[in-house]
Amino acid sequence: MNREERGVETVPDIERTAEPKSLITVFLGANLSLSVMVFGWLSILYGLGWWQSVSAILVGTVLGAIFVAKSALLGWKAGTNNSVASGAYFGVKGRLVASFVGLLLCLQYVALTVWTGGEMFAAGIARLTNSDSTDQMLILSYTLIGIAVVVIAIYGYQLIVTINRLIIPAMFLVVVLSAFAFIGDFDSSYAGDPSLYALGTFWPTWILAVLTCGAAGPISYVTQTGDWSRYISAAKSEKEIVKNTFLAMVIGLSIPTLFGAFIATVAFDENSFAAGWVTSSPSWLILPLLLIAVGGSLGQGAINLYSMGLDLDAILPKLSRSQSTSLVALLSIFLVFVGKFIYEAEAAVTNSVLFLTVAATSWLAITLYMYKKTNGNFDKDSLQIFNSGKNGGAYWFTSGWNFSMIFAWTIGTLIGILSISSVDYVGPISNAIQGIDLSIPMSAVVSVVIAASLNKTKS
């Protein structure tokens, strides 16, 4: 198996041999990780009960997957990643909007992966040695997992697919063992604690869970789906690509998130999902949990770090994909230390997820609208103008920027942020409607309305 050297340049047809079902393999393997399960814990931390959490997670995930599924068509049609493909609409330089959004989204999830995996590993070692989990052990755990993720991400596409194919049965085994260990303590009538509702009352809190524990999962992949679909044969159908992307999102995200909520109801620790799981586990389960700490981190961390490398490679074309990946890895691990030792987990995770989800939603809404308007046609050579250091082409617009679409994205994102209702931030629009969070629909609708208006005016 050779190390992948390809960055965001167009993938030749001869290399596009992957099947649409490979999307399910990648996303299911990558998301069977603590960094996804922790969102199930977050729904319980919000004060919701079991069935309330289940409904919020499923509703949010399905709606998010419906919205995101067609994003895989960008990379598949253009033969490159989604950020570069969006240059057809934002300009060959304006597509840096997508690279920037994708970079921040992946940065967040790599940090979550290293954080949760490191905590689980440190807590597991402490249980095995009858000692306390120290800051020094946490730092060592973060570092070791970070290094392993970097190596896999640098190696590239083929190794990531292979790793995730191996992770699926191993992680399912750990999930089954954990379910067996805790099923006797599980109470499906667990009602949560209304006095602890994150936003004071049920409906605003439930909607918060729909967004952060459900919809945010698929939306976090809006710039990444093309990383994998670009390797799928152009002879396949759009229907196959969309269907498999939808299934990959729903299956790959709902299973681990629901399992995280299950664990949180029987092994709750308000400060750490991983610590609660390890502390409440029987001794025979500790070694399998060490497997989930490392194995799950490799799949999720590598897929996000790989995409981060591509996004930075798109922003700084002079860097190789390996150099870009290494640079963003260092930044991610730094954020883990900052997040662990400075900020409160619930507020940090919730706020970062909501703000970045709004920015991603606005970008995707505009991109899908323009994809439909142009019938999904791309001039592949023109998309690569910026990467080759040249000017001109079909997507040059104004010096490489389509300021109309960038304006639509900016305003849509701003309106979405003003519509957020979070644990320590309520935007004025949300405040005016009794704390209901309408950030995602507001950002999507406003972005498309402005984009459609400006596009009609120009034409």
Side-chain angles (χ1 to χ4, degrees), residues 41-67:
W41 166 78
L42 197 62
S43 68
I44 301 299
L45 186 63
Y46 287 159
L48 297 178
W50 166 249
W51 289 112
Q52 294 167 346
S53 295
V54 168
S55 62
I57 291 167
L58 291 179
V59 167
T61 303
V62 170
L63 291 177
I66 291 173
F67 181 48

mmCIF file with all atom_site columns, all heavy atoms in Angstrom, residues 41-67:
data_model
loop_
_atom_site.group_PDB
_atom_site.id
_atom_site.type_symbol
_atom_site.label_atom_id
_atom_site.label_alt_id
_atom_site.label_comp_id
_atom_site.label_asym_id
_atom_site.label_entity_id
_atom_site.label_seq_id
_atom_site.pdbx_PDB_ins_code
_atom_site.Cartn_x
_atom_site.Cartn_y
_atom_site.Cartn_z
_atom_site.occupancy
_atom_site.B_iso_or_equiv
_atom_site.pdbx_formal_charge
_atom_site.auth_seq_id
_atom_site.auth_comp_id
_atom_site.auth_asym_id
_atom_site.auth_atom_id
_atom_site.pdbx_PDB_model_num
ATOM 1   N N   . TRP A 1 41 ? -23.805 11.867 25.516 1.00 0.00 ? 41 TRP A N   1
ATOM 2   C CA  . TRP A 1 41 ? -23.610 12.322 26.899 1.00 0.00 ? 41 TRP A CA  1
ATOM 3   C C   . TRP A 1 41 ? -24.076 13.763 27.060 1.00 0.00 ? 41 TRP A C   1
ATOM 4   O O   . TRP A 1 41 ? -24.695 14.131 28.058 1.00 0.00 ? 41 TRP A O   1
ATOM 5   C CB  . TRP A 1 41 ? -22.135 12.186 27.263 1.00 0.00 ? 41 TRP A CB  1
ATOM 6   C CG  . TRP A 1 41 ? -21.674 12.888 28.506 1.00 0.00 ? 41 TRP A CG  1
ATOM 7   C CD1 . TRP A 1 41 ? -21.855 12.484 29.801 1.00 0.00 ? 41 TRP A CD1 1
ATOM 8   C CD2 . TRP A 1 41 ? -20.921 14.110 28.577 1.00 0.00 ? 41 TRP A CD2 1
ATOM 9   N NE1 . TRP A 1 41 ? -21.260 13.367 30.668 1.00 0.00 ? 41 TRP A NE1 1
ATOM 10  C CE2 . TRP A 1 41 ? -20.690 14.381 29.951 1.00 0.00 ? 41 TRP A CE2 1
ATOM 11  C CE3 . TRP A 1 41 ? -20.429 14.997 27.623 1.00 0.00 ? 41 TRP A CE3 1
ATOM 12  C CZ2 . TRP A 1 41 ? -19.979 15.506 30.382 1.00 0.00 ? 41 TRP A CZ2 1
ATOM 13  C CZ3 . TRP A 1 41 ? -19.725 16.107 28.034 1.00 0.00 ? 41 TRP A CZ3 1
ATOM 14  C CH2 . TRP A 1 41 ? -19.500 16.357 29.395 1.00 0.00 ? 41 TRP A CH2 1
ATOM 15  N N   . LEU A 1 42 ? -23.803 14.584 26.032 1.00 0.00 ? 42 LEU A N   1
ATOM 16  C CA  . LEU A 1 42 ? -24.165 15.991 26.095 1.00 0.00 ? 42 LEU A CA  1
ATOM 17  C C   . LEU A 1 42 ? -25.681 16.159 26.196 1.00 0.00 ? 42 LEU A C   1
ATOM 18  O O   . LEU A 1 42 ? -26.170 17.034 26.929 1.00 0.00 ? 42 LEU A O   1
ATOM 19  C CB  . LEU A 1 42 ? -23.642 16.707 24.845 1.00 0.00 ? 42 LEU A CB  1
ATOM 20  C CG  . LEU A 1 42 ? -23.553 18.233 24.887 1.00 0.00 ? 42 LEU A CG  1
ATOM 21  C CD1 . LEU A 1 42 ? -22.587 18.688 25.968 1.00 0.00 ? 42 LEU A CD1 1
ATOM 22  C CD2 . LEU A 1 42 ? -23.097 18.764 23.526 1.00 0.00 ? 42 LEU A CD2 1
ATOM 23  N N   . SER A 1 43 ? -26.450 15.313 25.501 1.00 0.00 ? 43 SER A N   1
ATOM 24  C CA  . SER A 1 43 ? -27.914 15.422 25.566 1.00 0.00 ? 43 SER A CA  1
ATOM 25  C C   . SER A 1 43 ? -28.418 15.125 26.977 1.00 0.00 ? 43 SER A C   1
ATOM 26  O O   . SER A 1 43 ? -29.360 15.768 27.460 1.00 0.00 ? 43 SER A O   1
ATOM 27  C CB  . SER A 1 43 ? -28.571 14.475 24.556 1.00 0.00 ? 43 SER A CB  1
ATOM 28  O OG  . SER A 1 43 ? -28.374 13.109 24.918 1.00 0.00 ? 43 SER A OG  1
ATOM 29  N N   . ILE A 1 44 ? -27.797 14.160 27.655 1.00 0.00 ? 44 ILE A N   1
ATOM 30  C CA  . ILE A 1 44 ? -28.164 13.856 29.042 1.00 0.00 ? 44 ILE A CA  1
ATOM 31  C C   . ILE A 1 44 ? -27.699 14.982 29.960 1.00 0.00 ? 44 ILE A C   1
ATOM 32  O O   . ILE A 1 44 ? -28.396 15.364 30.912 1.00 0.00 ? 44 ILE A O   1
ATOM 33  C CB  . ILE A 1 44 ? -27.548 12.513 29.483 1.00 0.00 ? 44 ILE A CB  1
ATOM 34  C CG1 . ILE A 1 44 ? -28.034 11.373 28.572 1.00 0.00 ? 44 ILE A CG1 1
ATOM 35  C CG2 . ILE A 1 44 ? -27.887 12.221 30.936 1.00 0.00 ? 44 ILE A CG2 1
ATOM 36  C CD1 . ILE A 1 44 ? -29.529 11.151 28.586 1.00 0.00 ? 44 ILE A CD1 1
ATOM 37  N N   . LEU A 1 45 ? -26.539 15.543 29.673 1.00 0.00 ? 45 LEU A N   1
ATOM 38  C CA  . LEU A 1 45 ? -26.019 16.660 30.464 1.00 0.00 ? 45 LEU A CA  1
ATOM 39  C C   . LEU A 1 45 ? -26.940 17.870 30.367 1.00 0.00 ? 45 LEU A C   1
ATOM 40  O O   . LEU A 1 45 ? -27.034 18.665 31.313 1.00 0.00 ? 45 LEU A O   1
ATOM 41  C CB  . LEU A 1 45 ? -24.615 17.025 29.977 1.00 0.00 ? 45 LEU A CB  1
ATOM 42  C CG  . LEU A 1 45 ? -23.833 18.079 30.770 1.00 0.00 ? 45 LEU A CG  1
ATOM 43  C CD1 . LEU A 1 45 ? -23.563 17.587 32.192 1.00 0.00 ? 45 LEU A CD1 1
ATOM 44  C CD2 . LEU A 1 45 ? -22.517 18.416 30.075 1.00 0.00 ? 45 LEU A CD2 1
ATOM 45  N N   . TYR A 1 46 ? -27.638 18.010 29.240 1.00 0.00 ? 46 TYR A N   1
ATOM 46  C CA  . TYR A 1 46 ? -28.600 19.108 29.077 1.00 0.00 ? 46 TYR A CA  1
ATOM 47  C C   . TYR A 1 46 ? -29.818 18.948 29.982 1.00 0.00 ? 46 TYR A C   1
ATOM 48  O O   . TYR A 1 46 ? -30.636 19.855 30.085 1.00 0.00 ? 46 TYR A O   1
ATOM 49  C CB  . TYR A 1 46 ? -29.091 19.173 27.634 1.00 0.00 ? 46 TYR A CB  1
ATOM 50  C CG  . TYR A 1 46 ? -28.090 19.691 26.628 1.00 0.00 ? 46 TYR A CG  1
ATOM 51  C CD1 . TYR A 1 46 ? -28.235 19.390 25.271 1.00 0.00 ? 46 TYR A CD1 1
ATOM 52  C CD2 . TYR A 1 46 ? -27.004 20.480 27.003 1.00 0.00 ? 46 TYR A CD2 1
ATOM 53  C CE1 . TYR A 1 46 ? -27.332 19.862 24.321 1.00 0.00 ? 46 TYR A CE1 1
ATOM 54  C CE2 . TYR A 1 46 ? -26.103 20.950 26.069 1.00 0.00 ? 46 TYR A CE2 1
ATOM 55  C CZ  . TYR A 1 46 ? -26.262 20.634 24.731 1.00 0.00 ? 46 TYR A CZ  1
ATOM 56  O OH  . TYR A 1 46 ? -25.370 21.105 23.792 1.00 0.00 ? 46 TYR A OH  1
ATOM 57  N N   . GLY A 1 47 ? -29.966 17.762 30.618 1.00 0.00 ? 47 GLY A N   1
ATOM 58  C CA  . GLY A 1 47 ? -31.094 17.519 31.504 1.00 0.00 ? 47 GLY A CA  1
ATOM 59  C C   . GLY A 1 47 ? -32.194 16.686 30.884 1.00 0.00 ? 47 GLY A C   1
ATOM 60  O O   . GLY A 1 47 ? -33.220 16.432 31.519 1.00 0.00 ? 47 GLY A O   1
ATOM 61  N N   . LEU A 1 48 ? -32.019 16.222 29.645 1.00 0.00 ? 48 LEU A N   1
ATOM 62  C CA  . LEU A 1 48 ? -33.050 15.436 28.967 1.00 0.00 ? 48 LEU A CA  1
ATOM 63  C C   . LEU A 1 48 ? -33.072 13.995 29.461 1.00 0.00 ? 48 LEU A C   1
ATOM 64  O O   . LEU A 1 48 ? -32.058 13.471 29.919 1.00 0.00 ? 48 LEU A O   1
ATOM 65  C CB  . LEU A 1 48 ? -32.814 15.443 27.455 1.00 0.00 ? 48 LEU A CB  1
ATOM 66  C CG  . LEU A 1 48 ? -32.895 16.793 26.743 1.00 0.00 ? 48 LEU A CG  1
ATOM 67  C CD1 . LEU A 1 48 ? -32.596 16.620 25.261 1.00 0.00 ? 48 LEU A CD1 1
ATOM 68  C CD2 . LEU A 1 48 ? -34.262 17.445 26.936 1.00 0.00 ? 48 LEU A CD2 1
ATOM 69  N N   . GLY A 1 49 ? -34.233 13.350 29.325 1.00 0.00 ? 49 GLY A N   1
ATOM 70  C CA  . GLY A 1 49 ? -34.359 11.945 29.654 1.00 0.00 ? 49 GLY A CA  1
ATOM 71  C C   . GLY A 1 49 ? -33.935 11.071 28.478 1.00 0.00 ? 49 GLY A C   1
ATOM 72  O O   . GLY A 1 49 ? -33.546 11.572 27.416 1.00 0.00 ? 49 GLY A O   1
ATOM 73  N N   . TRP A 1 50 ? -34.044 9.741  28.649 1.00 0.00 ? 50 TRP A N   1
ATOM 74  C CA  . TRP A 1 50 ? -33.594 8.808  27.626 1.00 0.00 ? 50 TRP A CA  1
ATOM 75  C C   . TRP A 1 50 ? -34.354 8.987  26.321 1.00 0.00 ? 50 TRP A C   1
ATOM 76  O O   . TRP A 1 50 ? -33.754 9.226  25.273 1.00 0.00 ? 50 TRP A O   1
ATOM 77  C CB  . TRP A 1 50 ? -33.728 7.370  28.124 1.00 0.00 ? 50 TRP A CB  1
ATOM 78  C CG  . TRP A 1 50 ? -33.602 6.343  27.043 1.00 0.00 ? 50 TRP A CG  1
ATOM 79  C CD1 . TRP A 1 50 ? -34.591 5.536  26.565 1.00 0.00 ? 50 TRP A CD1 1
ATOM 80  C CD2 . TRP A 1 50 ? -32.426 6.033  26.277 1.00 0.00 ? 50 TRP A CD2 1
ATOM 81  N NE1 . TRP A 1 50 ? -34.110 4.727  25.551 1.00 0.00 ? 50 TRP A NE1 1
ATOM 82  C CE2 . TRP A 1 50 ? -32.781 5.000  25.359 1.00 0.00 ? 50 TRP A CE2 1
ATOM 83  C CE3 . TRP A 1 50 ? -31.121 6.499  26.282 1.00 0.00 ? 50 TRP A CE3 1
ATOM 84  C CZ2 . TRP A 1 50 ? -31.877 4.459  24.449 1.00 0.00 ? 50 TRP A CZ2 1
ATOM 85  C CZ3 . TRP A 1 50 ? -30.209 5.954  25.376 1.00 0.00 ? 50 TRP A CZ3 1
ATOM 86  C CH2 . TRP A 1 50 ? -30.589 4.956  24.481 1.00 0.00 ? 50 TRP A CH2 1
ATOM 87  N N   . TRP A 1 51 ? -35.681 8.881  26.351 1.00 0.00 ? 51 TRP A N   1
ATOM 88  C CA  . TRP A 1 51 ? -36.452 8.948  25.113 1.00 0.00 ? 51 TRP A CA  1
ATOM 89  C C   . TRP A 1 51 ? -36.439 10.355 24.528 1.00 0.00 ? 51 TRP A C   1
ATOM 90  O O   . TRP A 1 51 ? -36.512 10.511 23.305 1.00 0.00 ? 51 TRP A O   1
ATOM 91  C CB  . TRP A 1 51 ? -37.884 8.466  25.338 1.00 0.00 ? 51 TRP A CB  1
ATOM 92  C CG  . TRP A 1 51 ? -37.943 6.979  25.552 1.00 0.00 ? 51 TRP A CG  1
ATOM 93  C CD1 . TRP A 1 51 ? -38.275 6.321  26.692 1.00 0.00 ? 51 TRP A CD1 1
ATOM 94  C CD2 . TRP A 1 51 ? -37.619 5.971  24.587 1.00 0.00 ? 51 TRP A CD2 1
ATOM 95  N NE1 . TRP A 1 51 ? -38.182 4.963  26.511 1.00 0.00 ? 51 TRP A NE1 1
ATOM 96  C CE2 . TRP A 1 51 ? -37.791 4.718  25.227 1.00 0.00 ? 51 TRP A CE2 1
ATOM 97  C CE3 . TRP A 1 51 ? -37.200 5.997  23.254 1.00 0.00 ? 51 TRP A CE3 1
ATOM 98  C CZ2 . TRP A 1 51 ? -37.546 3.518  24.572 1.00 0.00 ? 51 TRP A CZ2 1
ATOM 99  C CZ3 . TRP A 1 51 ? -36.963 4.803  22.600 1.00 0.00 ? 51 TRP A CZ3 1
ATOM 100 C CH2 . TRP A 1 51 ? -37.139 3.578  23.259 1.00 0.00 ? 51 TRP A CH2 1
ATOM 101 N N   . GLN A 1 52 ? -36.331 11.348 25.369 1.00 0.00 ? 52 GLN A N   1
ATOM 102 C CA  . GLN A 1 52 ? -36.189 12.719 24.871 1.00 0.00 ? 52 GLN A CA  1
ATOM 103 C C   . GLN A 1 52 ? -34.880 12.863 24.094 1.00 0.00 ? 52 GLN A C   1
ATOM 104 O O   . GLN A 1 52 ? -34.831 13.489 23.030 1.00 0.00 ? 52 GLN A O   1
ATOM 105 C CB  . GLN A 1 52 ? -36.226 13.707 26.034 1.00 0.00 ? 52 GLN A CB  1
ATOM 106 C CG  . GLN A 1 52 ? -37.571 13.764 26.753 1.00 0.00 ? 52 GLN A CG  1
ATOM 107 C CD  . GLN A 1 52 ? -37.486 14.501 28.077 1.00 0.00 ? 52 GLN A CD  1
ATOM 108 O OE1 . GLN A 1 52 ? -36.399 14.760 28.599 1.00 0.00 ? 52 GLN A OE1 1
ATOM 109 N NE2 . GLN A 1 52 ? -38.636 14.844 28.641 1.00 0.00 ? 52 GLN A NE2 1
ATOM 110 N N   . SER A 1 53 ? -33.826 12.263 24.632 1.00 0.00 ? 53 SER A N   1
ATOM 111 C CA  . SER A 1 53 ? -32.527 12.309 23.961 1.00 0.00 ? 53 SER A CA  1
ATOM 112 C C   . SER A 1 53 ? -32.559 11.528 22.657 1.00 0.00 ? 53 SER A C   1
ATOM 113 O O   . SER A 1 53 ? -32.028 11.976 21.631 1.00 0.00 ? 53 SER A O   1
ATOM 114 C CB  . SER A 1 53 ? -31.436 11.737 24.881 1.00 0.00 ? 53 SER A CB  1
ATOM 115 O OG  . SER A 1 53 ? -31.261 12.534 26.032 1.00 0.00 ? 53 SER A OG  1
ATOM 116 N N   . VAL A 1 54 ? -33.180 10.344 22.694 1.00 0.00 ? 54 VAL A N   1
ATOM 117 C CA  . VAL A 1 54 ? -33.273 9.514  21.489 1.00 0.00 ? 54 VAL A CA  1
ATOM 118 C C   . VAL A 1 54 ? -33.988 10.270 20.368 1.00 0.00 ? 54 VAL A C   1
ATOM 119 O O   . VAL A 1 54 ? -33.525 10.302 19.213 1.00 0.00 ? 54 VAL A O   1
ATOM 120 C CB  . VAL A 1 54 ? -34.009 8.193  21.786 1.00 0.00 ? 54 VAL A CB  1
ATOM 121 C CG1 . VAL A 1 54 ? -34.361 7.463  20.484 1.00 0.00 ? 54 VAL A CG1 1
ATOM 122 C CG2 . VAL A 1 54 ? -33.160 7.298  22.673 1.00 0.00 ? 54 VAL A CG2 1
ATOM 123 N N   . SER A 1 55 ? -35.110 10.878 20.692 1.00 0.00 ? 55 SER A N   1
ATOM 124 C CA  . SER A 1 55 ? -35.873 11.599 19.668 1.00 0.00 ? 55 SER A CA  1
ATOM 125 C C   . SER A 1 55 ? -35.076 12.776 19.118 1.00 0.00 ? 55 SER A C   1
ATOM 126 O O   . SER A 1 55 ? -35.069 13.019 17.904 1.00 0.00 ? 55 SER A O   1
ATOM 127 C CB  . SER A 1 55 ? -37.209 12.084 20.241 1.00 0.00 ? 55 SER A CB  1
ATOM 128 O OG  . SER A 1 55 ? -37.013 12.998 21.315 1.00 0.00 ? 55 SER A OG  1
ATOM 129 N N   . ALA A 1 56 ? -34.397 13.514 19.988 1.00 0.00 ? 56 ALA A N   1
ATOM 130 C CA  . ALA A 1 56 ? -33.611 14.670 19.543 1.00 0.00 ? 56 ALA A CA  1
ATOM 131 C C   . ALA A 1 56 ? -32.467 14.231 18.627 1.00 0.00 ? 56 ALA A C   1
ATOM 132 O O   . ALA A 1 56 ? -32.217 14.845 17.580 1.00 0.00 ? 56 ALA A O   1
ATOM 133 C CB  . ALA A 1 56 ? -33.068 15.435 20.754 1.00 0.00 ? 56 ALA A CB  1
ATOM 134 N N   . ILE A 1 57 ? -31.777 13.179 19.011 1.00 0.00 ? 57 ILE A N   1
ATOM 135 C CA  . ILE A 1 57 ? -30.640 12.686 18.227 1.00 0.00 ? 57 ILE A CA  1
ATOM 136 C C   . ILE A 1 57 ? -31.095 12.190 16.855 1.00 0.00 ? 57 ILE A C   1
ATOM 137 O O   . ILE A 1 57 ? -30.492 12.540 15.827 1.00 0.00 ? 57 ILE A O   1
ATOM 138 C CB  . ILE A 1 57 ? -29.910 11.568 18.996 1.00 0.00 ? 57 ILE A CB  1
ATOM 139 C CG1 . ILE A 1 57 ? -29.196 12.149 20.230 1.00 0.00 ? 57 ILE A CG1 1
ATOM 140 C CG2 . ILE A 1 57 ? -28.903 10.840 18.086 1.00 0.00 ? 57 ILE A CG2 1
ATOM 141 C CD1 . ILE A 1 57 ? -28.727 11.101 21.218 1.00 0.00 ? 57 ILE A CD1 1
ATOM 142 N N   . LEU A 1 58 ? -32.160 11.389 16.814 1.00 0.00 ? 58 LEU A N   1
ATOM 143 C CA  . LEU A 1 58 ? -32.620 10.822 15.549 1.00 0.00 ? 58 LEU A CA  1
ATOM 144 C C   . LEU A 1 58 ? -33.204 11.885 14.619 1.00 0.00 ? 58 LEU A C   1
ATOM 145 O O   . LEU A 1 58 ? -32.902 11.915 13.422 1.00 0.00 ? 58 LEU A O   1
ATOM 146 C CB  . LEU A 1 58 ? -33.651 9.721  15.802 1.00 0.00 ? 58 LEU A CB  1
ATOM 147 C CG  . LEU A 1 58 ? -33.113 8.439  16.439 1.00 0.00 ? 58 LEU A CG  1
ATOM 148 C CD1 . LEU A 1 58 ? -34.240 7.441  16.662 1.00 0.00 ? 58 LEU A CD1 1
ATOM 149 C CD2 . LEU A 1 58 ? -32.025 7.823  15.573 1.00 0.00 ? 58 LEU A CD2 1
ATOM 150 N N   . VAL A 1 59 ? -34.033 12.766 15.169 1.00 0.00 ? 59 VAL A N   1
ATOM 151 C CA  . VAL A 1 59 ? -34.632 13.822 14.345 1.00 0.00 ? 59 VAL A CA  1
ATOM 152 C C   . VAL A 1 59 ? -33.532 14.708 13.755 1.00 0.00 ? 59 VAL A C   1
ATOM 153 O O   . VAL A 1 59 ? -33.515 15.008 12.561 1.00 0.00 ? 59 VAL A O   1
ATOM 154 C CB  . VAL A 1 59 ? -35.621 14.673 15.176 1.00 0.00 ? 59 VAL A CB  1
ATOM 155 C CG1 . VAL A 1 59 ? -35.998 15.950 14.412 1.00 0.00 ? 59 VAL A CG1 1
ATOM 156 C CG2 . VAL A 1 59 ? -36.869 13.872 15.496 1.00 0.00 ? 59 VAL A CG2 1
ATOM 157 N N   . GLY A 1 60 ? -32.592 15.124 14.602 1.00 0.00 ? 60 GLY A N   1
ATOM 158 C CA  . GLY A 1 60 ? -31.519 15.998 14.140 1.00 0.00 ? 60 GLY A CA  1
ATOM 159 C C   . GLY A 1 60 ? -30.621 15.326 13.117 1.00 0.00 ? 60 GLY A C   1
ATOM 160 O O   . GLY A 1 60 ? -30.254 15.930 12.100 1.00 0.00 ? 60 GLY A O   1
ATOM 161 N N   . THR A 1 61 ? -30.272 14.055 13.366 1.00 0.00 ? 61 THR A N   1
ATOM 162 C CA  . THR A 1 61 ? -29.368 13.344 12.454 1.00 0.00 ? 61 THR A CA  1
ATOM 163 C C   . THR A 1 61 ? -30.007 13.116 11.096 1.00 0.00 ? 61 THR A C   1
ATOM 164 O O   . THR A 1 61 ? -29.365 13.321 10.050 1.00 0.00 ? 61 THR A O   1
ATOM 165 C CB  . THR A 1 61 ? -28.946 11.996 13.058 1.00 0.00 ? 61 THR A CB  1
ATOM 166 O OG1 . THR A 1 61 ? -28.328 12.218 14.329 1.00 0.00 ? 61 THR A OG1 1
ATOM 167 C CG2 . THR A 1 61 ? -27.959 11.283 12.148 1.00 0.00 ? 61 THR A CG2 1
ATOM 168 N N   . VAL A 1 62 ? -31.255 12.695 11.074 1.00 0.00 ? 62 VAL A N   1
ATOM 169 C CA  . VAL A 1 62 ? -31.940 12.445 9.797  1.00 0.00 ? 62 VAL A CA  1
ATOM 170 C C   . VAL A 1 62 ? -32.098 13.739 9.004  1.00 0.00 ? 62 VAL A C   1
ATOM 171 O O   . VAL A 1 62 ? -31.810 13.786 7.793  1.00 0.00 ? 62 VAL A O   1
ATOM 172 C CB  . VAL A 1 62 ? -33.315 11.788 10.036 1.00 0.00 ? 62 VAL A CB  1
ATOM 173 C CG1 . VAL A 1 62 ? -34.129 11.763 8.738  1.00 0.00 ? 62 VAL A CG1 1
ATOM 174 C CG2 . VAL A 1 62 ? -33.137 10.371 10.564 1.00 0.00 ? 62 VAL A CG2 1
ATOM 175 N N   . LEU A 1 63 ? -32.541 14.808 9.659  1.00 0.00 ? 63 LEU A N   1
ATOM 176 C CA  . LEU A 1 63 ? -32.705 16.083 8.959  1.00 0.00 ? 63 LEU A CA  1
ATOM 177 C C   . LEU A 1 63 ? -31.356 16.598 8.446  1.00 0.00 ? 63 LEU A C   1
ATOM 178 O O   . LEU A 1 63 ? -31.252 17.093 7.317  1.00 0.00 ? 63 LEU A O   1
ATOM 179 C CB  . LEU A 1 63 ? -33.347 17.122 9.892  1.00 0.00 ? 63 LEU A CB  1
ATOM 180 C CG  . LEU A 1 63 ? -34.814 16.884 10.261 1.00 0.00 ? 63 LEU A CG  1
ATOM 181 C CD1 . LEU A 1 63 ? -35.292 17.956 11.237 1.00 0.00 ? 63 LEU A CD1 1
ATOM 182 C CD2 . LEU A 1 63 ? -35.689 16.870 9.010  1.00 0.00 ? 63 LEU A CD2 1
ATOM 183 N N   . GLY A 1 64 ? -30.327 16.482 9.280  1.00 0.00 ? 64 GLY A N   1
ATOM 184 C CA  . GLY A 1 64 ? -28.999 16.918 8.861  1.00 0.00 ? 64 GLY A CA  1
ATOM 185 C C   . GLY A 1 64 ? -28.485 16.103 7.693  1.00 0.00 ? 64 GLY A C   1
ATOM 186 O O   . GLY A 1 64 ? -27.885 16.646 6.755  1.00 0.00 ? 64 GLY A O   1
ATOM 187 N N   . ALA A 1 65 ? -28.729 14.782 7.725  1.00 0.00 ? 65 ALA A N   1
ATOM 188 C CA  . ALA A 1 65 ? -28.264 13.903 6.641  1.00 0.00 ? 65 ALA A CA  1
ATOM 189 C C   . ALA A 1 65 ? -28.970 14.203 5.329  1.00 0.00 ? 65 ALA A C   1
ATOM 190 O O   . ALA A 1 65 ? -28.370 14.161 4.249  1.00 0.00 ? 65 ALA A O   1
ATOM 191 C CB  . ALA A 1 65 ? -28.465 12.442 7.026  1.00 0.00 ? 65 ALA A CB  1
ATOM 192 N N   . ILE A 1 66 ? -30.271 14.512 5.393  1.00 0.00 ? 66 ILE A N   1
ATOM 193 C CA  . ILE A 1 66 ? -31.014 14.883 4.188  1.00 0.00 ? 66 ILE A CA  1
ATOM 194 C C   . ILE A 1 66 ? -30.399 16.139 3.569  1.00 0.00 ? 66 ILE A C   1
ATOM 195 O O   . ILE A 1 66 ? -30.226 16.241 2.352  1.00 0.00 ? 66 ILE A O   1
ATOM 196 C CB  . ILE A 1 66 ? -32.503 15.131 4.531  1.00 0.00 ? 66 ILE A CB  1
ATOM 197 C CG1 . ILE A 1 66 ? -33.185 13.803 4.908  1.00 0.00 ? 66 ILE A CG1 1
ATOM 198 C CG2 . ILE A 1 66 ? -33.226 15.797 3.362  1.00 0.00 ? 66 ILE A CG2 1
ATOM 199 C CD1 . ILE A 1 66 ? -34.598 13.966 5.430  1.00 0.00 ? 66 ILE A CD1 1
ATOM 200 N N   . PHE A 1 67 ? -30.053 17.092 4.421  1.00 0.00 ? 67 PHE A N   1
ATOM 201 C CA  . PHE A 1 67 ? -29.482 18.357 3.966  1.00 0.00 ? 67 PHE A CA  1
ATOM 202 C C   . PHE A 1 67 ? -28.093 18.168 3.364  1.00 0.00 ? 67 PHE A C   1
ATOM 203 O O   . PHE A 1 67 ? -27.748 18.778 2.342  1.00 0.00 ? 67 PHE A O   1
ATOM 204 C CB  . PHE A 1 67 ? -29.425 19.319 5.167  1.00 0.00 ? 67 PHE A CB  1
ATOM 205 C CG  . PHE A 1 67 ? -28.867 20.689 4.860  1.00 0.00 ? 67 PHE A CG  1
ATOM 206 C CD1 . PHE A 1 67 ? -29.297 21.414 3.763  1.00 0.00 ? 67 PHE A CD1 1
ATOM 207 C CD2 . PHE A 1 67 ? -27.914 21.249 5.694  1.00 0.00 ? 67 PHE A CD2 1
ATOM 208 C CE1 . PHE A 1 67 ? -28.788 22.683 3.498  1.00 0.00 ? 67 PHE A CE1 1
ATOM 209 C CE2 . PHE A 1 67 ? -27.399 22.509 5.440  1.00 0.00 ? 67 PHE A CE2 1
ATOM 210 C CZ  . PHE A 1 67 ? -27.844 23.234 4.338  1.00 0.00 ? 67 PHE A CZ  1
#
